[in-house]
Amino acid sequence: MTTIAHISDLHVSKADFDENIFLKAVDEINDLAPDMILLTGDITDKGYYKDFLKATDYLKMFKSPLFAIPGNHDSRNRGYETFEELIGERSWRVITNDGLIVIGLDSSSPDLNTGHIGREQQLWMDHQIKKAMSNGCDFSIVALHHHVIPIPRTGRERNILNDAGDVLNSLVANNVDLVLSGHKHVPNIWKLENTLFVNAGSLSSYKLRGKDLNSYNTYFIGENDVKLYLNEVGGKKTLFGEFSRK
């Protein structure tokens, strides 16, 4: 069994970050002790260097290995450079001992809200997945900030990937198991052919829609099935979906 915590959209800043909620989430996730934490962007709200410094201190509170990609807010004000200095590479690949490949893609562009993967990064993803699967990996995860498929209950669609069609074709053609995103602050699951597209809510920002609460997702990947849970910070845990492994 592999356990993954999926967090997103912290928005560390003076105005939009709820520190108390974040600290509750840290305690909950540390108690769970997942094998890894995947953070799908918008660690900061404005990309300011001082906010990244605060964010790195907050992220050190997690006890499990954490892998992050930038969001559109992180790439503001030269934050894409700061991300590489303080957080790490903006695109990466991880292969675990139990046969998972996890790929992080940078869908952000400096000072733009829209998302873009690009041909070069898409081809790199294709190559990494095919190589890993031919070498014994049997479960694949791709994490990016921007959603590939529109999310319900989020109003007019404005910020989907501008090359979503090509990226979606690659993901489905490669039979990727899980595609994880953030950005819209609304949890959601779509299933397209053999691929699950899972969106996370905002872990710790005040930027919430309606009566939505701060939340994160947890994934339990077993030999035969995958269970997905929606966790309200300081509140209830709900089975989000259960699917057989292909």
Side-chain angles (χ1 to χ4, degrees), residues 11-18 45-46 51 204-207:
H11 288 276
V12 173
S13 60
K14 284 187 177 180
D16 295 306
F17 176 67
D18 189 332
D45 192 60
K46 301 293 184 183
D51 289 338
S204 56
S205 83
Y206 292 110
K207 299 180 179 184

Side-chain angles (χ1 to χ4, degrees), residues 110-134:
D111 300 312
L112 294 178
N113 287 328
T114 53
H116 182 73
I117 293 299
R119 185 65 175 160
E120 182 177 348
Q121 198 173 196
Q122 180 187 340
L123 289 173
W124 174 79
M125 175 190 71
D126 286 343
H127 174 71
Q128 294 298 329
I129 293 172
K130 288 172 180 164
K131 181 179 178 182
M133 291 304 180
S134 66

